[in-house]
Amino acid sequence: MKKNKILRIAVCLFIAIIFTLIGIYEEVQSKKEISYAEFVSHVQSDEVENVEVVLNSEKAKIKLKDGKEQTVKIPSVEAVSDLVTEAIQNNKQIDFAIKQESFLQILERLANKVMDIITIIMIVLLFICLSIAAYKTRDDDGEIELDDDPLFNRKKFGKEATSNIHFDDVAGIDEEKQQLQEIVCFLKDPEKYTEMGAKIPKGILLTGDPGVGKTLLAKAIAGEADVPFFQVTGSSFDDTYVGVGSGRVRTLFKKARAKAPSIIFIDEIDTIGAKRYSSESHNSEQTLNQLLAEMDGFDSSSGVVVIAATNYPEILDPAITRPGRFDRKIYIPMPDLYARTKILDVHSKNKKLDESVNLEEVSKKTVGFSGAELRNLLNEAAILAVNREAKTIQQEDIDEAFARIVVGLEKKNRRVTEEEKYHSAIHESGHAIVSAVLRPNVENLGISIVPRGNAGGYNLFNDSEERSYLTKEDAISEMVVSYAGKAAEKVILNKVSSGPEADLKGASKIAYSMILKYAMHDSLLTLVGDEQFDSVLIQKNTSEAEKICKGAYEKSIKIITENKEIIIELANALMEKEILSAEEVQNFLQNKILINPDDKADSIKE
Ligand code: ADP
Ligand code: ZN
C-alpha cells in the first residue's frame, strides 16, 4: 500500500517535469519570435530586408535591415504576400520569396502536430494521476488518512452517532431493561435529578456472552433517551505511540461532555482494563489510568453516562468496578425459551414468514443460541427461501438454516459407504437410547445420519434449558449420554472412530463444571464463580475430573450392553430412513422396555 503510493507520486512528478520542460522549450523558442503586428509595423517603416515564407508553414523568416534575423507567426501565406506586395508598390525595398516545403520541413511540421497531441495526452494523464492519488489516500470511511499521524487520528477518534434503536428492539431481557429505564430518564432530563441531589451511576458494565445484545442495549438506551452516542472498542485505544491511547481517552470524554447529555460506549473494555499484572504493555496501563481519571473527574451532573461491555468480566482490573466508576454491573444471560421466542418475534417482523411457521417450536430447538445467532438463523432461512424462489419463508427453510448453523453445511455430494453409514447409525442410536434410559423426560427432537460438515450425524435433544440449575444426577446423565456414541461403537462394532471428539469435550467440560463451578463433587476443593476456568485450577483437579469421566463412560458401556438389541434395531431404522423425526423416534421407543442397570445415576463409584 505504502509502496504503491510512492510509485504513484513518482509517476506524477515525472509527468509534471516533462510537461514543464516542454513549456520551457516553447517559451525559449518564442523569445526569437515577433508578433504579426510587429512584423507589419517593421514592414511599414521599411526596416525589413528580406521575407521568406515556406508553403504550408505558419511562420515566416525575416531579416531586418540592421542584420537581425527573426521569425514571425503569420495568419496565411496570402496575407504576407499581399502585405509585402503593397509595401513594394509603396517603394519599399523588400525581397520576398515563397519556397516549396523541403522533405525535412514536412517532417518537422508533422512532428510538431504530434507534439501537440502528446501534450494534450500528458495533461489528461496528469489530471487522472493526481485524482487517483488523492482518492487512494482516503481510507475506508472516506476520511483522508494522514499517514498514521497520531494527532490527526485523535481528532477522528470516537465518532458521534445517533441511535434509532429502542427498547422494543431488544427482546427477552425485560428485567435488565427496567433497571436501565432509570438511566434513560436521567439522560432525558439530568437537571431534575441533580436538583434533587440524586446521584446517578456514571458507569455501567454490561457483561455476558458474545451476541446476547450488550451493544444493542447500549444503543437502545441512547435511542430511548435521544442523546448522542459515542462508540469505541477497547482495542482501538491501542497504538504503537506512547501516550496516544490516553490522548484518545481524553478526546473521547471531551467530545462527549461537549454534547452532554450523551453516552460513551466502550466495547471489549477488557482489552484496556485487564488486571494490571497481566497487562504486558506500559502503554495500555496509561490508557487505563487516563480512563479512570476521566471517570473520577466528573460527577453525574455533567450528564455523561459511560457504558462498557465485556465477555470476560473476571479478568477486569478491580479498580474499574470501584464505586464511582463502573459500579453498576448488569449481567445479560443467554436467552431462555421465552426470550428466544421474543427475539425470534422481533427479527421476523421485517421478514415474510409463512403463517404455518411456529416460532415457539423454533425456540424449543435453538437451545444455546444467542440473540445474534437467532437473527442469523432467520436471515439464513430468508436467503434459502429466496433461492427456492418461494413467496414466504417456510418451516423447511428454518430447519435447513438451523442444520447449517449447527453442524455446518450439508455435504450432499459426499459419498458415504454403507459401512460408514452403519457406523454413524450405531453411534447416534447409542446416544438416543442411553438418553431415553437415563432421561425419559428429555424429548428427542430427531436423529439424522446424513453427514453434515465434520459430523457423521446428530441427535437433537430438547434439554439443558437452564444448565446452571442442573442437579448432580442431571450432570452425570448428560455425561453418560455424551459418551454413549463412543460406547455403542465399542460394544457393538468393537471399533473406535475419530468421530466422537465433540462428545468427549462436552463430557469433560461438564466434569470440570461439576468440580469448579457447581461444587457438586464430594471432595469440593475450590470454587470459582464462573465458566472461565483458571488453568491452574483445572490442573489441580484433573484427576478428580478423570474419575468422574471414567465413571460416566463405564456407566454408558453398561447401559449400551444391556440395550444392545434395541440400539441395533434403531440403527437399522436409521439405515432405512437416514432421518427420523421426533414423532418417529417417539413411536419407536413407545413399546420398548429399556433397561437401566442400576436405576440411579449417583450410584456411580467415584
Ligand atoms: P454483544 O454486544 O452482546 O456481543 P450485540 O448487541 O452486538 O451483542 O448483538 C448482535 C445482534 O444480535 C444485534 O444487533 C441484534 O440484531 C441481535 N440480538 C442480540 N440480542 C438480541 C435481543 N435480546 N433482542 C433482539 N436482537 C438481539
Ligand atoms: Zn456423538
Side-chain angles (χ1 to χ4, degrees), residues 427-428 431 457-459 481-482 484-486 489 499-503:
H427 180 101
E428 298 305 331
H431 284 304
Y458 60 85
N459 264 267
V481 172
S482 287
K486 185 182 160 75
E489 289 175 33
E501 192 195 356
D503 295 345

Side-chain angles (χ1 to χ4, degrees), residues 221-281:
I221 296 172
E224 285 286 321
D226 197 19
V227 299
F229 184 75
F230 296 86
Q231 181 175 5
V232 291
T233 53
S235 57
S236 63
F237 289 102
D238 282 346
D239 202 289
T240 39
Y241 297 97
V242 176
V244 170
S246 48
R248 285 177 186 167
V249 173
R250 235 172 307 161
T251 317
L252 179 64
F253 276 81
K254 208 162 110 193
K255 278 188 193 172
R257 249 177 261 138
K259 293 280 176 160
S262 61
I263 289 180
I264 293 177
F265 178 64
I266 306 174
D267 203 2
E268 297 165 18
I269 191 165
D270 43 280
T271 50
I272 45 170
K275 287 193 184 86
R276 295 187 195 209
Y277 59 77
S278 63
S279 79
E280 71 290 356
S281 99

Side-chain angles (χ1 to χ4, degrees), residues 277-510:
Y277 59 77
S278 63
S279 79
E280 71 290 356
S281 99
H282 176 66
N283 225 352
S284 65
E285 187 167 332
Q286 264 195 355
T287 308
L288 175 58
N289 284 339
Q290 186 63 41
L291 176 65
L292 298 179
E294 293 286 351
M295 300 276 306
D296 294 340
F298 70 89
D299 61 21
S300 54
S301 63
S302 77
V304 177
V305 171
V306 188
I307 304 175
T310 177
N311 309 331
Y312 312 105
E314 65 286 336
I315 66 166
L316 287 184
D317 194 307
I320 286 184
T321 47
R322 215 169 282 150
R325 293 167 180 171
F326 295 97
D327 48 2
R328 174 83 62 97
K329 267 206 255 182
I330 296 178
Y331 171 69
I332 306 183
M334 280 295 249
D336 60 7
L337 182 70
Y338 165 81
R340 287 199 301 274
T341 314
K342 289 280 176 191
I343 295 171
L344 287 166
D345 257 337
V346 164
H347 287 284
S348 59
K349 263 191 196 124
N350 57 359
K351 298 196 172 60
K352 285 191 188 154
L353 222 54
D354 197 79
E355 276 171 21
S356 64
V357 174
N358 182 343
L359 288 180
E360 227 164 282
E361 287 302 315
V362 178
S363 171
K364 268 192 197 164
K365 267 174 76 170
T366 45
V367 182
F369 272 47
S370 69
E373 285 164 331
L374 290 169
R375 182 195 59 179
N376 284 353
L377 175 71
L378 289 181
N379 196 44
E380 258 320 282
I383 291 170
L384 289 170
V386 173
N387 290 349
R388 275 195 313 123
E389 296 183 354
K391 290 217 170 63
T392 54
I393 302 168
Q394 303 275 345
Q395 186 65 43
E396 60 175 279
D397 298 313
I398 297 182
D399 290 345
E400 174 66 17
F402 175 80
R404 281 185 187 208
I405 291 173
V406 172
V407 254
L409 288 174
E410 181 166 0
K411 292 205 171 160
K412 287 229 172 69
N413 313 331
R414 194 181 124 182
R415 290 246 205 101
V416 183
T417 62
E418 282 297 289
E419 200 190 335
E420 281 171 330
K421 202 166 135 187
Y422 191 61
H423 201 128
S424 298
I426 291 290
H427 180 101
E428 298 305 331
S429 301
H431 284 304
I433 296 300
V434 172
S435 174
V437 167
L438 286 177
R439 332 177 283 188
N441 297 330
V442 172
E443 198 187 343
N444 190 324
L445 295 175
I447 315 174
S448 161
I449 55 164
V450 178
R452 283 166 192 273
N454 289 327
Y458 60 85
N459 264 267
L460 291 175
F461 295 114
N462 181 21
D463 70 334
S464 50
E465 187 49 64
E466 270 302 337
R467 275 169 196 273
S468 31
Y469 295 140
L470 284 176
T471 64
K472 183 175 174 178
E473 288 76 39
D474 289 338
I476 292 181
S477 296
E478 187 154 345
M479 288 178 69
V480 177
V481 172
S482 287
Y483 283 129
K486 185 182 160 75
E489 289 175 33
K490 178 92 183 88
V491 171
I492 298 169
L493 304 171
N494 197 21
K495 265 188 191 166
V496 184
S497 75
S498 62
E501 192 195 356
D503 295 345
L504 305 189
K505 265 194 195 150
S508 51
K509 201 174 164 206
I510 299 171

